[in-house]
Amino acid sequence: MGAGLFSGVGTLLLPGLALLAQDWRLLQGLSALATGLLLLFWGYPALFPESPCWLLATGQLARARKILWHLSEASGVDPENGPEEESSLATELDILSAGSPQPQHHCILELRHTHVTWRNGLILGFSSLVGGGIRASFLRRLSPHEGVFYGPYFLVAALEMAATIFLLLTVDRWGRRLILLLGTLVVGLASLLLLAGAQYLPGWTVLSLSVLGLVASQAVSTLSSLFAAEIFPTVTRGAGLGLVLGAGFLGQAAAPLANMHGRRGFFLQHVVFASFAILALLCVLLLPESRGRGLPHSLQDADRLRRSPLLRGHPCQDHLPLLPPSHCRTQTQLV
């Protein structure tokens, strides 16, 4: 969510940077320089270390132990002589590292052997595709006249930040699935109303529906990514999240198709994505609720995230083990 806010701020600052640069080559060079600074995170692992959770889940115990010890020392905690829970973790890591286990890397294609996780990922990728693709339809209604640029540009950037703030205030209170369902419902209703009555509705109504649709579509895209990070297991979380984000960018890439064959292309694209929004609304009902549940570490843990009642008072508190079950069994055998 914080990264989304920074992205919105960068979008708002881009016209000012372009005004200062006065040349697109200089602007491109400044953007490349700012992006190149991110290479520092690769060159200095201490600034951005690898995830210990992922290292433990994939069996890279020595690297995980090194990072955990570094974090403990930086926090002023001695894991060897600390509290009982920390000492037991240190002992378990020492025992498991003694056998020099081989890392167990996983591929995203292993999801096809799961019963539930592949379906959850497919639904979230589809919702991200719809959220990214239907945005062009609302934007077209927002700026019907050619030559109007800066107003819609700043408005869209501000609406993206508004959608992120809305998610910050709601998803931890009412749950991910309910808010995703609400966002998909708003997208579908707004698109159908614009599709059926844009010629008969007053201008302020069309503008309001377009603004509401833009906020909802941005919320659906962002929440699909957050949801995917909590649905996919640790061993394949990065690849699964990348697929969901890629589906959203694929939907955005379909925006130029609206300009093909004049108004016919725009109408056809609007019809297709409005239909997709209704279908996504039904698919979201099949998702589990991840609020208040521990992150799944293995494919088996992710398959246990099954669909639960839509409205429930208190989320289920699942405290999944940090180490995979196979490691726990190995420790038992060693002891």
Side-chain angles (χ1 to χ4, degrees):
M1 299 294 102
L5 291 177
F6 274 97
S7 177
V9 172
T11 304
L12 291 174
L13 293 179
L14 182 60
L17 185 61
L19 184 63
L20 293 176
Q22 294 291 326
D23 186 4
W24 70 268
R25 298 177 181 83
L26 179 59
L27 178 63
Q28 190 73 13
L30 292 175
S31 302
L33 178 61
T35 308
L37 294 177
L38 297 177
L39 293 175
L40 294 175
F41 292 112
W42 175 76
Y44 296 93
L47 295 177
F48 200 71
E50 186 57 80
S51 167
C53 186
W54 177 77
L55 293 173
L56 290 172
T58 54
Q60 305 180 61
L61 303 177
R63 293 180 59 190
R65 186 182 188 280
K66 181 179 179 181
I67 294 176
L68 288 173
W69 260 237
H70 174 73
L71 295 176
S72 299
E73 293 173 356
S75 303
V77 177
D78 186 2
E80 300 288 349
N81 301 316
E84 181 179 356
E85 182 179 356
E86 297 174 358
S87 300
S88 62
L89 177 61
T91 304
E92 182 175 356
L93 287 176
D94 290 337
I95 294 175
L96 295 176
S97 301
S100 300
Q102 294 296 325
Q104 298 178 356
H105 297 285
H106 296 265
C107 177
I108 190 64
L109 296 179
E110 295 182 24
L111 292 178
R112 70 181 187 273
H113 301 301
T114 61
H115 300 286
V116 179
T117 309
W118 70 269
R119 184 194 66 191
N120 295 336
L122 187 64
I123 293 174
L124 290 174
F126 184 61
S127 64
S128 180
L129 173 71
V130 173
I134 204 171
R135 205 173 304 163
S137 302
F138 296 123
L139 186 59
R140 180 76 173 263
R141 301 287 186 183
L142 195 64
S143 54
H145 304 291
E146 299 294 336
V148 179
F149 174 73
Y150 289 105
Y153 177 87
F154 286 111
L155 180 60
V156 169
L159 291 178
E160 291 180 358
M161 299 183 66
T164 304
I165 295 174
F166 168 76
L167 293 178
L168 281 171
L169 299 176
T170 56
V171 292
D172 279 339
R173 175 174 298 180
W174 294 321
R176 285 83 163 113
R177 184 176 56 169
L178 183 61
I179 300 302
L180 183 61
L181 185 66
L182 176 63
T184 310
L185 177 62
V186 172
V187 168
L189 288 178
S191 59
L192 289 177
L193 288 175
L194 289 175
L195 190 63
Q199 299 177 352
Y200 311 103
L201 294 174
W204 67 268
T205 305
V206 174
L207 178 62
S208 301
L209 289 175
S210 300
V211 169
L212 187 62
L214 280 173
V215 173
S217 60
Q218 178 63 30
V220 167
S221 298
T222 306
L223 186 52
S224 297
S225 304
L226 172 66
F227 214 157
E230 298 179 342
I231 290 297
F232 284 106
T234 301
V235 292
T236 59
R237 181 167 296 127
L241 181 58
L243 289 178
V244 173
L245 289 172
F249 289 129
L250 181 62
Q252 296 181 34
L257 296 177
N259 297 324
M260 297 177 60
H261 307 293
R263 186 171 179 81
R264 293 182 181 178
F266 168 69
F267 180 78
L268 179 60
Q269 183 181 3
H270 198 163
V271 169
V272 170
F273 277 103
S275 305
F276 283 173
I278 302 302
L279 180 58
L281 178 64
L282 301 176
C283 294
V284 169
L285 293 173
L286 300 176
L287 291 174
E289 177 56 63
S290 60
R291 178 176 65 107
R293 309 178 82 167
L295 292 177
H297 300 305
S298 64
L299 295 174
Q300 293 77 16
D301 293 336
D303 256 7
R304 298 191 190 103
L305 297 176
R306 299 183 180 273
R307 187 172 64 90
S308 54
L310 183 61
L311 298 175
R312 58 182 182 179
H314 300 282
C316 177
Q317 297 292 336
D318 293 340
H319 299 285
L320 297 175
L322 186 61
L323 294 176
S326 59
H327 289 171
C328 297
R329 289 193 297 269
T330 303
Q331 182 195 9
T332 304
Q333 294 171 0
L334 289 175
V335 173

